[in-house]
């Protein structure tokens, strides 16, 4: 595991950008996540940037200054694009070279400091965009705690279906409605059928929920008809973001049989704007889920010793809720849950390998959702369906307000970070959305 660590992970490294050294910050020099932004009110084309402290390095400008001239021309032209897709199509090594170059430029004793300062844009003046044109989006169900909780609400006698421990369960989502953090989310309309009636009505969802997830952005990809062996799967993941798979539980309950989620989930999916590279996450790798002895082994195509040893990622995810009344009264968002991505039953590599195992081609810019991240404890539950047990155990907020599901004006914010002794903490930023009236 340690062999993948380079100078870019050195906990002693510091940037001359002062805010990058602030304890508890998300974007120290060891992180360097990629995103796409434009300065507000400038009418300028969007460009690729890398976050450092409370600043963004404008890579377009950096290239113009000749600061990236050490990189091969193909990488330089990929960095001049308006999305990460050209860089994603070059595979992970290209991203790693950019990361290493930026690390050197941003180090406190780095060369060309004056020119680098000239490329910094304060994050608060920037509008952050979706980092890539997302071609296809698939969402999994990789938390056994989530699957068991949801299963026991609907099938108390038989919570986990017999396929769960063999097949990484997933469905094809929709990319057209993926939005970046901050975009409002309109309450969906749909067919809803009450327990006591036989016919549904069409109206606004009354069981609107969030799902706290991690999203993996695909780089490289595979030609149709070929597979991605598990040993190569992580080479096809550029990096990770936070993801909120907004879900209308009442629409879902009526429509999901027999083909799975459809309109209950495809009205909006929010992602955080910064892509935390797999290289930045190297110090935080952990073993895959420790399957109890009586669980089946993964089928051979889903197993590698390296993946078992370090296929997990130690990301802590937290969900915060702030109602419109809390905002009006100046009350801080309240934390609803905290969970660890390390508790997922399936690793990211297993999800990627399984997805391509039938010859399905993944393409650079595709997005793969992990599924709701829930852990074993009650405050590890990553959606309201679980937290309120289908609305039967409502939450009471600091204002005295009560929630079973989301009401209009509610703001849901997901945060994520990695911490480990001997490494500098890195964070994911924020994945936020406010519910608007239907
Ligand atoms: Mn989901």
């Amino acid at each position: 595991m340690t062999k993948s660590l380079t100078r870019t992970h050195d906990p002693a490294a510091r940037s001359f950008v002062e805010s990058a050294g602030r304890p508890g910050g998300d974007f120290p020099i060891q992180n360097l996540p990629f995103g796409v932004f434009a300065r507000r009110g400038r009418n300028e084309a969007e460009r690729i940037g890398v976050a450092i402290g409370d600043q963004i390095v404008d890579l377009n400008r950096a290239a113009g200054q000749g600061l990236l001239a050490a990189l091969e021309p193909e990488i330089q032209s990929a960095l001049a694009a308006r999305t990460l897709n050209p860089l994603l199509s070059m595979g992970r090594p290209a991203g790693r070279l950019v990361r290493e170059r930026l690390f050197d430029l941003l180090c406190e004793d780095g060369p060309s400091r004056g020119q680098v300062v000239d490329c910094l844009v304060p994050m608060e003046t920037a509008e952050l965009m979706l980092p890539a044109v997302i071609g296809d989006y698939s969402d999994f169900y990789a938390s056994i705690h989530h699957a068991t909780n949801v299963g026991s609400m609907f099938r108390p006698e038989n919570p986990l279906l017999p396929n769960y421990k063999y097949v990484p369960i997933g469905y094809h989502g929709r990319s057209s409605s993926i939005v970046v953090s901050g975009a409002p989310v309109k309450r969906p309309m749909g067919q809803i059928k009450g327990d006591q009636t036989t016919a549904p009505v069409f109206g606004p969802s009354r069981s609107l929920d969030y799902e706290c997830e991690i999203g993996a952005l695909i780089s490289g990809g595979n030609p149709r008809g070929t597979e991605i062996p598990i040993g190569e799967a992580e080479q096809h993941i550029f990096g990770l973001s936070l993801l909120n798979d907004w879900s209308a539980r009442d629409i879902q309950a009526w429509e999901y049989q027999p083909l799975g989620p459809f309109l209950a989930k495809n009205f909006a999916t929010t992602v955080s704007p910064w892509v935390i590279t797999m290289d930045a996450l190297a110090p935080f790798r952990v073993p895959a889920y420790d399957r109890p002895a009586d669980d089946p082994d993964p089928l051979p195509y889903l197993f590698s010793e390296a993946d078992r040893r370090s296929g997990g990622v130690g990301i802590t995810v937290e969900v915060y809720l702030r109602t419109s009344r809390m905002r009006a009264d100046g009350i801080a968002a309240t934390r609803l849950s905290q969970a660890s991505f390390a508790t997922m039953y399936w690793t990211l590599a297993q999800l990627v390998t399984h997805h391509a195992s039938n010859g399905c081609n993944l393409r650079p810019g595709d997005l793969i959702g992990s599924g709701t991240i829930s852990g074993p404890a009650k405050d590890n539950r990553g959606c309201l369906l679980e937290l309120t047990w289908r609305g039967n155990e409502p939450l009471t907020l600091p204002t005295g307000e009560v929630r079973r599901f989301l009401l209009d004006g509610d703001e849901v914010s997901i945060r994520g970070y990695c911490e480990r002794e001997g490494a500098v903490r890195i964070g994911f930023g924020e994945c936020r959305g406010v519910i608007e009236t239907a």
Side-chain angles (χ1 to χ4, degrees):
M1 187 164 78
T2 40
K3 70 179 187 298
S4 57
L5 298 185
T6 68
R7 69 181 188 284
T8 66
H9 304 103
D10 179 1
R14 293 189 61 89
S15 173
F16 64 80
V17 178
E18 232 169 86
S19 57
R22 221 175 36 220
D26 281 345
F27 307 123
I29 192 168
Q30 290 83 358
N31 193 348
L32 303 179
F34 288 73
V36 168
F37 76 100
R39 286 177 295 180
R40 273 194 219 96
R42 295 288 186 112
N43 199 24
E44 68 185 7
E46 51 273 29
R47 66 243 354 256
I48 296 173
V50 164
I52 178 81
D54 59 10
Q55 306 287 311
I56 302 171
V57 188
D58 179 339
L59 295 194
N60 196 310
R61 192 168 169 85
Q65 298 253 21
L67 291 169
L68 306 175
L71 298 168
E72 23 182 306
E74 202 189 345
I75 298 181
Q76 289 186 58
S77 69
L79 294 176
R82 294 177 170 208
T83 70
L84 287 177
N85 296 69
L87 185 64
L88 297 175
S89 55
M90 298 179 71
R92 259 182 70 182
R96 187 175 307 128
L97 291 170
V98 180
R99 168 181 168 83
E100 288 170 353
R101 177 63 185 154
L102 285 166
F103 179 88
D104 292 341
L105 288 169
L106 288 162
C107 258
E108 59 189 346
D109 54 356
S112 332
R113 181 162 161 172
Q115 278 172 286
V116 180
V117 168
D118 212 35
C119 301
L120 294 178
V121 173
M123 210 180 284
E124 60 179 18
T125 69
E127 184 185 352
L128 294 160
M129 324 285 194
L130 276 182
V133 176
I134 296 166
D136 276 299
Y137 161 52
S138 305
D139 194 27
F140 282 91
Y141 196 52
S143 163
I144 194 169
H145 304 289
H146 173 68
T148 305
N149 282 338
V150 173
S152 36
M153 284 174 223
F154 297 92
R155 296 177 305 273
E157 68 297 334
N158 179 27
L160 212 55
L161 293 170
N163 58 2
Y164 189 83
K165 293 177 178 176
Y166 291 95
V167 188
I169 301 292
Y171 66 94
H172 283 111
R174 189 164 176 86
S175 57
S176 67
S177 52
I178 298 177
V179 293
V180 76
S181 177
V185 172
K186 194 168 136 180
R187 177 179 301 275
M189 303 286 288
Q191 281 199 25
I192 297 158
K193 192 188 85 62
D195 289 341
Q196 317 302 332
T197 58
T198 49
V201 295
F202 184 79
S205 168
R206 293 195 296 176
S207 313
L208 185 54
D209 200 355
Y210 59 82
E211 290 189 339
C212 170
E213 306 192 15
I214 289 288
L217 192 61
I218 296 296
S219 66
N222 59 307
R224 188 168 64 86
T226 68
E227 299 163 28
I228 298 179
I230 185 116
E232 294 168 22
E234 286 205 11
Q235 287 307 311
H236 295 268
I237 303 175
F238 182 80
L240 309 182
S241 303
L242 304 169
L243 184 149
N244 184 342
D245 175 23
W246 303 96
S247 300
R249 302 302 183 188
D250 41 6
I251 299 173
Q252 186 177 358
W254 173 235
E255 78 170 7
Y256 88 105
Q257 285 176 319
L259 287 185
F262 186 41
L263 303 185
K265 285 170 175 282
N266 70 4
F267 57 94
T269 304
T270 304
V271 293
S272 57
W274 295 110
V275 186
I276 315 301
T277 63
M278 295 309 286
D279 296 314
L281 292 163
F284 306 101
R285 302 310 300 268
V286 296
Y289 186 88
D290 188 17
R291 291 184 174 220
D294 52 352
D295 274 16
D297 288 332
L299 293 180
Y301 79 101
L302 291 175
F303 179 82
S304 87
E305 187 49 38
D307 187 55
R308 190 192 64 76
R309 212 171 43 239
S310 59
V313 197
I315 306 166
T316 302
V317 288
E318 299 176 340
V319 180
Y320 292 85
L321 176 67
R322 205 175 185 203
T323 66
S324 47
R325 187 161 136 207
M326 290 166 76
R327 287 198 298 281
D329 292 355
I331 297 174
T334 189
R335 194 174 83 191
L336 299 184
S337 67
Q338 185 186 58
S340 171
F341 191 58
T343 63
M344 302 300 266
Y345 195 79
W346 298 102
T347 65
L348 290 166
Q350 287 171 323
L351 302 184
V352 166
T353 292
H354 181 65
H355 204 314
S357 62
N358 62 346
C360 172
N361 46 323
L362 302 184
R363 295 181 294 190
D366 283 358
L367 185 69
I368 287 183
S370 63
T372 307
I373 305 163
S374 294
K378 202 165 176 180
D379 68 346
N380 299 150
R381 296 173 180 174
C383 61
L384 286 174
L385 177 69
E386 287 172 84
L387 277 173
T388 70
W389 213 254
R390 263 184 117 177
N392 290 319
E393 301 169 23
L395 298 173
T396 303
L397 305 175
T399 44
E401 295 172 282
V402 168
R403 285 294 180 278
R404 291 174 167 81
F405 290 100
L406 298 171
L407 296 188
D408 292 350
D410 284 358
E411 180 183 72
V412 177
S413 173
I414 304 174
R415 314 281 313 199
Y417 55 88
C418 302
E419 283 177 338
R420 180 175 74 75
E421 211 175 302
V424 173
R425 174 199 194 275
I426 62 172
F428 279 67
E430 188 184 32
C431 180
R432 184 175 58 83
V434 179
I435 304 302
E436 288 187 342
T437 311

